[in-house]
Amino acid sequence: APPTLKICNAQPTEAETAVWNQVSAVLEEAHGILAELQSYNGAGQEIREAIQNPGDLALQEKAWNAVCPLVAKLKRFYEFSLRLENALRSLLEALTSPPYAPMQHLEREQALAKQFAEILHFTLSFDELKMTNPAIQNDFSYYRRTISRNRLNNQQLEAENEVNNEMANRMSLFYAEATPMLKTLSNATTKFVSENKTLPIEDTTDCLSTMACVCRVMLETPEYRCRFTNTDTMLFCMRVMVGVIILYDHVHPVGAFAKTSKIDMKGCIKVLKEQPSNSVEGLLNALRYTTRHLNDDSTSKQIRALLQ
Ligand SMILES: *[C@@H]1O[C@H](CO)[C@@H](O)[C@H](O)[C@H]1NC(C)=O
Ligand SMILES: *[C@@H]1O[C@H](CO)[C@@H](O)[C@H](O)[C@H]1NC(C)=O
């Protein structure tokens, strides 16, 4: 049987401490980032008024002053994604290092496995909020249009800005993604796998499929389920399961839906659909729309039907 992750209080062992501290410093900020994103209201009204009254300089200025602090926030989120990427990399290194098998790693390094799960949980939460907030891209494109329009007559503007052109280009690639954090993590995982020639790709994907299995078993086993005293813990398992499935599907050459996949997709989808949570539909959508291989010929009709 797979180990159950010690969801509540996995304490790092001595061997885990260095990586755990590094990742912990990043995760400490995650909650604040989510809270900031949750309360992100955007400058839609100010932008609309400025666009409708192009001759009114006061309204242009008002929109600009409303947008600038928001773009500073977007920059913080983006920079956080880079730190998260580094944290993920350290965890992948630790959780795939020889000579242990993925299951042994998850058993020996429960505190790191928990952090891995927390990163995925954050990632899906962030992307859910981003997806349902059109103000983000609206604010950012207004900002970019204003900068490029003014660059001709105001060389200073860019220098004064917190977000220079190069940063704005990188941010715009990030926010153009439907699920930017997940994309960052899957890019980073792909990179980790391809850079490290001595590490077979299976070692990384086995780590992911093992985590998916742990989450599935925790969700579908009644004895475990009753230990979930609050729905937050179930939601945590659901998000982590979906997160590792999507990562696996992006990183593994044939993906998560193929017959040879080490993830029991039917079991995962079934248990997800049985959960009494209004986040289920969003998570099913993440499987439908942010995976790579669902529409491959090798995906069984049964799995397709389950996701319809
Ligand atoms: C490749 O992976 C091995 C095993 O995890 C590790 O010891 C080594 O440092 C890695 N090398 C790079 C370049 O990441
Ligand atoms: C992921 O990688 C692709 C291909 O290299 C790139 O086009 C995209 O911008 C990257 N996305 C993120 C969020 O890093």
Side-chain angles (χ1 to χ4, degrees):
T4 54
L5 289 181
K6 291 201 182 86
I7 291 282
C8 294
N9 54 359
Q11 293 304 315
T13 60
E14 210 173 306
E16 292 171 280
T17 303
V19 173
W20 192 88
N21 284 340
Q22 183 207 338
V23 176
S24 185
V26 178
L27 281 171
E28 267 165 25
E29 275 182 63
H31 190 73
I33 296 274
L34 284 185
E36 241 187 302
L37 179 57
Q38 190 133 36
S39 62
Y40 186 103
N41 285 321
Q45 168 103 20
E46 290 87 345
I47 291 174
R48 224 172 6 259
E49 286 175 353
I51 291 175
Q52 281 163 4
N53 305 281
D56 188 332
L57 287 182
L59 286 178
Q60 309 308 308
E61 201 173 321
K62 192 172 162 208
W64 180 249
N65 289 336
V67 160
C68 280
L70 293 171
V71 169
K73 261 185 203 184
L74 296 181
K75 184 185 171 202
R76 272 202 299 285
F77 300 161
Y78 169 70
E79 285 173 338
F80 185 72
S81 80
L82 302 179
R83 303 183 54 208
L84 199 69
E85 183 181 333
N86 283 334
L88 177 82
R89 207 189 154 82
S90 303
L91 287 177
L92 284 176
E93 259 167 35
L95 291 171
T96 57
S97 68
Y100 303 109
M103 190 67 90
Q104 289 173 308
H105 271 295
L106 293 186
E107 270 161 353
R108 295 168 59 92
E109 287 136 353
Q110 299 229 350
L112 296 187
K114 168 87 192 301
Q115 286 185 318
F116 193 112
E118 280 172 359
I119 286 182
L120 286 163
H121 181 251
F122 164 82
T123 297
L124 267 76
S125 311
F126 182 96
D127 286 347
E128 252 172 59
L129 288 171
K130 188 266 174 183
M131 240 186 287
T132 51
N133 195 337
I136 291 176
Q137 264 173 297
N138 189 40
D139 294 345
F140 195 63
S141 52
Y142 179 79
Y143 178 85
R144 299 204 77 193
R145 284 201 307 275
T146 308
I147 287 201
S148 62
R149 189 159 3 97
N150 290 350
R151 187 169 298 132
L152 298 171
N153 40 28
N154 189 352
Q155 299 283 332
Q156 265 329 172
L157 188 67
E158 197 182 324
E160 283 166 14
N161 282 319
E162 217 186 316
V163 175
N164 63 24
N165 201 41
E166 199 247 322
M167 173 59 94
N169 283 339
R170 286 194 286 144
M171 284 170 64
S172 104
L173 287 177
F174 178 77
Y175 286 108
E177 305 276 3
T179 52
M181 282 293 171
L182 198 59
K183 193 69 189 172
T184 302
L185 296 194
S186 71
N187 275 6
T189 309
T190 306
K191 198 163 152 227
F192 174 78
V193 167
S194 66
E195 268 175 8
N196 201 329
K197 303 280 182 241
T198 62
L199 189 70
I201 186 168
E202 297 284 332
D203 286 25
T204 305
T205 53
D206 283 0
C207 168
L208 300 175
S209 56
T210 306
M211 285 195 66
C213 176
V214 169
C215 292
R216 177 177 57 73
V217 170
M218 288 185 74
L219 286 169
E220 69 191 9
T221 311
E223 304 91 84
Y224 296 152
R225 198 180 298 177
C226 55
R227 266 197 257 146
F228 296 165
T229 46
N230 56 38
T231 47
D232 277 0
T233 316
M234 286 177 69
L235 187 56
F236 183 86
C237 281
M238 287 158 60
R239 285 215 179 98
V240 172
M241 184 176 78
V242 169
V244 287
I245 290 171
I246 297 169
L247 266 191
Y248 183 101
D249 194 54
H250 279 253
V251 174
H252 195 282
V254 298
F257 299 96
K259 286 187 184 64
T260 53
S261 159
K262 292 209 178 141
I263 298 181
D264 170 9
M265 283 305 303
K266 257 179 274 172
C268 288
I269 298 168
K270 276 192 187 139
V271 75
L272 195 56
K273 284 179 144 180
E274 283 163 11
Q275 302 307 310
S277 159
N278 48 19
S279 294
V280 169
E281 200 50 36
L283 291 171
L284 289 171
N285 279 339
L287 289 178
R288 289 178 187 121
Y289 305 121
T290 65
T291 46
R292 271 176 69 186
H293 295 280
L294 176 60
N295 296 317
D296 288 4
D297 291 339
S298 54
T299 300
S300 78
K301 286 199 182 70
Q302 244 178 324
I303 290 178
R304 259 183 246 248
L306 275 172
L307 276 178
Q308 236 137 51

